[in-house]
Amino acid sequence: MEVTIMDAKMTKDEESGYVGQVVFQLPGERNVYELTLQSKKARDWGYSLHFAKESGTEEELEAMEERLEEDDELFDRLVGEAMSRLQD
């Protein structure tokens, strides 16, 4: 899966668990997205997706959300990138 990661970070604390962000762009996409991640035990991830720079259309955002839901490899790559930058 080809994806350009522009920024990623992850923190962990007792109250919130794991909280991270990944800024990314996929080939052929004009939009840059920011994925905010949260998980108590780094297993089941909740997330929020929004545009990182310029706003796009609601349809573009919904299409990327659908892609993240369906493409486990892409989602796991984004989570992995954030986890690789875990700050204690």
Side-chain angles (χ1 to χ4, degrees), residues 7-14 16-22 37-43 45 77-88:
D7 190 27
K9 59 186 171 184
M10 180 71 69
T11 59
K12 179 186 175 196
D13 66 46
E14 284 188 33
S16 301
Y18 295 85
V19 177
Q21 290 86 28
V22 182
L37 301 157
Q38 193 279 327
S39 176
K40 282 289 190 184
K41 298 185 180 190
R43 285 188 218 129
W45 292 93
R77 171 113 187 258
L78 297 173
V79 170
E81 189 67 37
M83 288 296 289
S84 74
R85 310 233 180 128
L86 180 62
Q87 301 169 7
D88 291 324

Side-chain angles (χ1 to χ4, degrees), residues 4 6 10 13 25 28-29 31 37-38 45 55 62-63 82 88:
T4 301
M6 295 157 174
M10 180 71 69
D13 66 46
Q25 186 174 29
E29 285 282 330
N31 297 308
L37 301 157
Q38 193 279 327
W45 292 93
S55 292
E62 288 173 356
D88 291 324

